[in-house]
Every structure is written in structure tokens, then in C-alpha cells.
Amino acid sequence: MTLDEAWRILQGRQFKRTKNRETILEFFSENDRYLTAMEVRNFMIEDNPGISFDTIYRNLTTFSELGILEETELNGERHFRMQCDHGVHHHHFICTACGKTRNIPHCPMESVSVNLQGYEVEGHKFEIYGKCPVCVEQ
Amino acid sequence: MTLDEAWRILQGRQFKRTKNRETILEFFSENDRYLTAMEVRNFMIEDNPGISFDTIYRNLTTFSELGILEETELNGERHFRMQCDHGVHHHHFICTACGKTRNIPHCPMESVSVNLQGYEVEGHKFEIYGKCPVCVEQ
DNA sequence: ACTAGTAATCGTAATCGTTCCTGTTTACCC
DNA sequence: GGGTAAACAGGAACGATTACGATTACTAGT
């Protein structure tokens, strides 16, 4: 997702264009990996030393709900990254050291043979964890 | 996993047979679903009003490491359940209302076509979330 | 451009799940 | 039964996240 696409979504829903939102989106568009609220804060604090976690979490949640960011949970912490390939369903290999991901186009839901009649499926998660080639060397 | 199997594992590693451990294992063997530390506490508190969270978490973590319980994270909280079909790799449909699960024998790792050469795979997670037939009716 | 109205923010305190700490109790081996 | 290390209770501390009242800053309408 590009910055322009993100702003188009936000302005289509009457969200205002603020400096904080610009900084957050800039950070994600320049860092193509899963990031924590703390990492976002450490970046923002240079421009805005008084930045509040309330602001960060509120915006991250908003962006996630609007499909601008995607979200996952790694060792008890929320992680966010810019939505990639918007619209096309996929999964990720996630590096547990740096947060970088690699797309996995195959979705296991297509080949699940279990009969889930009577069940109401709300979602699914398929992630592979490990170290990317760069972090293997460290 | 039966209570006998669990105790055989524990005693093989010189873990002591305490009242608290008996209560925890009894609770899991009678409740075939994912449970939180709080639910465990609410059950234990009847026998032992002074039960400490430290004791609960310490034992849940131990049991999980020994393969007696299996663990997953649902909306930011650790959930535990008795290890089912010990040894046989499988995945779960998980009811987000009651924590009950249904086994999914198919493992997506077998059909992942992405080349992960140079990567170090540490683990994976495949879970389907939704409502079980009982909770759909509520 | 000016102003009103409302969304967004700041700063701080509170919450929640989980872990740490210290002194005491308990299970197990002899 | 006595010694010893494991297990425990109670409470304090922790890190991530959320809630809150007061203030600031966008944006639309004049």
C-alpha cells in the first residue's frame, strides 16, 4: 500500500490529515516489516517529544480497522505492518528477530478437508516463524 | 492425555505431587477446551482460597514445556488446554466463545511451495477461529 | 481570512495479564 | 521423624495497553 492510497482511504472516511498520522504512515512506508507501538514511538519522538501512547495506539487501531495496516501478535505484543498487496489474500513467514516477512501465497483454508458444517468460521491464521537469511548470519 | 500420563511425565522429571498440581490437572482433564489462568484460579479458589497467580502461571508454564498442556494466544491472553493425541501433529478450529476445539489433521506446512532456503524455520501456527455449533445457537 | 465545531491530541493515571521477590511451608528421601 | 530442596503465599513490580479530562488543531462554512 502506498501513502497516497492510505490517505485516500482516510480522507474518504473524513479522517483529518494530522502531523502525527503523517509521521506514522511515513514510518511504516519506509520500514517494510512488523513493528511494535514502541518502535513507532521511538521514531516519532524526534519530531514530537510529547507524543502520547494513546495517540499511537488509537491511530494504529484505526489504520488496522481500515485495512491500511495489518496486525499480528508476536510473544504477547501487537505488531503492525503496512498492508501489502491490498486485496490479495496471503500469509507470511515472519522473522522473529527483525520482523521482516516473506509472502506465502498458498492459503491452507482451500485444502482443509474437515467438515465444519454447523460451525461459523470467523477467521484463520497461518504464520511461519523463524529467522530470515540476514538474521541467521547474526 | 490422561491424568496418569501427565503424572508419569512429571514424576519422571522429579516434579513433586502437590495438591495444587492435582487440582490444576483435574480441572484440565474435566474441561476439554482452551482455558485462561483466571479460569483456572476461579476453580482452584474453592479448595484453596489463598492460591497465588505465581503458582498457577509457574505450573501452567511447566506443564506446557513438558508437553502436558498446549498453549495458544487469543486476544492477548494465554490459553491452555490438555494436550490431545499426544505426539501426533495437528491443528485446531477454536471456538472464540467457549474455547472448545476441533482437530484439523491437515498440516499446511506439507504443501507450502515457497522456497525457504537460507531461512531458519522455528515453528508455525495454523488456527481457524469461529463459533462451535453450540455457541452459534446462543 | 475568521470563526465555530468537532476531531485529535497531550499528559497522566488506571487497568490488565503476567512475573518477580522474600519468607514460609510442604513433599519426598533417608 | 529430620533434613533439604522444591513449591508455595502474599504482595509488590512490571510492561503493554486503554481510559480520561483538559487542551489544541483541522476543516468547513461564512
Side-chain angles (χ1 to χ4, degrees):
Chain A
M1 161 126 14
T2 65
L3 285 178
D4 282 353
E5 288 174 310
W7 281 115
R8 209 171 303 137
I9 292 171
L10 285 167
Q11 266 149 12
R13 305 284 210 94
Q14 344 289 359
F15 284 93
K16 294 180 178 171
R17 187 171 194 119
T18 67
K19 188 74 190 62
N20 284 333
R21 287 188 179 135
E22 277 177 352
T23 310
I24 293 173
L25 290 175
E26 176 201 341
F27 187 50
F28 278 102
S29 81
E30 287 174 0
N31 289 276
D32 188 28
R33 57 195 186 86
Y34 273 110
L35 300 161
T36 62
M38 182 58 82
E39 288 174 296
V40 174
R41 174 185 165 272
N42 290 345
F43 176 78
M44 298 187 77
I45 213 169
E46 291 178 29
D47 277 26
N48 177 2
I51 182 67
S52 160
F53 272 111
D54 185 42
T55 301
I56 293 172
Y57 280 111
R58 187 166 17 77
N59 282 312
L60 292 179
T61 301
T62 300
F63 294 166
S64 181
E65 283 167 2
L66 294 177
I68 293 169
L69 298 180
E70 47 190 308
E71 186 177 349
T72 194
E73 194 144 324
L74 302 171
N75 4 293
E77 285 176 59
R78 294 168 76 186
H79 286 65
F80 301 84
R81 59 159 299 153
M82 191 67 92
Q83 183 79 250
C84 43
D85 299 344
H86 74 289
V88 180
H89 182 66
H90 63 282
H91 294 278
H92 282 140
F93 168 94
I94 303 175
C95 178
T96 53
C98 72
K100 280 219 181 69
T101 65
R102 169 139 182 210
N103 279 14
I104 296 177
H106 168 255
C107 176
M109 291 303 280
E110 293 157 12
S111 44
V112 165
S113 53
V114 176
N115 182 2
L116 290 173
Q117 221 172 7
Y119 288 74
E120 192 176 298
V121 173
E122 295 168 345
H124 65 280
K125 184 171 189 171
F126 175 41
E127 288 176 344
I128 305 177
Y129 309 105
K131 300 275 185 295
C132 72
V134 175
C135 291
V136 165
E137 300 299 323
Q138 310 300 312
Chain B
M1 161 124 15
T2 65
L3 284 179
D4 281 353
E5 287 173 310
W7 281 115
R8 208 170 305 138
I9 292 171
L10 286 167
Q11 267 150 12
R13 305 285 211 94
Q14 344 291 356
F15 283 94
K16 294 179 178 170
R17 188 170 193 120
T18 67
K19 188 76 190 62
N20 284 333
R21 289 191 176 134
E22 277 177 352
T23 310
I24 293 174
L25 289 175
E26 176 200 340
F27 187 48
F28 278 103
S29 80
E30 287 174 1
N31 290 275
D32 190 28
R33 56 196 186 85
Y34 272 111
L35 299 161
T36 61
M38 183 57 83
E39 289 173 295
V40 173
R41 175 185 165 273
N42 290 345
F43 176 78
M44 297 187 78
I45 214 169
E46 292 178 29
D47 276 25
N48 177 1
I51 180 68
S52 159
F53 272 110
D54 186 43
T55 300
I56 293 172
Y57 280 111
R58 188 166 17 79
N59 282 312
L60 292 179
T61 301
T62 298
F63 294 165
S64 181
E65 283 167 2
L66 294 176
I68 293 170
L69 298 180
E70 46 190 310
E71 187 175 349
T72 194
E73 194 145 322
L74 303 170
N75 4 294
E77 285 176 59
R78 295 169 76 186
H79 285 66
F80 302 84
R81 59 159 298 154
M82 191 66 91
Q83 183 78 250
C84 43
D85 299 344
H86 74 291
V88 181
H89 182 67
H90 63 282
H91 295 279
H92 281 142
F93 168 94
I94 304 175
C95 178
T96 53
C98 72
K100 280 218 181 69
T101 65
R102 169 139 182 209
N103 278 14
I104 297 176
H106 169 255
C107 176
M109 292 303 280
E110 293 158 14
S111 43
V112 164
S113 52
V114 176
N115 181 1
L116 291 173
Q117 220 171 6
Y119 287 75
E120 192 176 299
V121 173
E122 295 168 345
H124 66 281
K125 185 171 188 172
F126 175 42
E127 289 176 342
I128 306 177
Y129 308 104
K131 299 276 185 294
C132 71
V134 174
C135 292
V136 165
E137 301 299 323
Q138 310 300 312

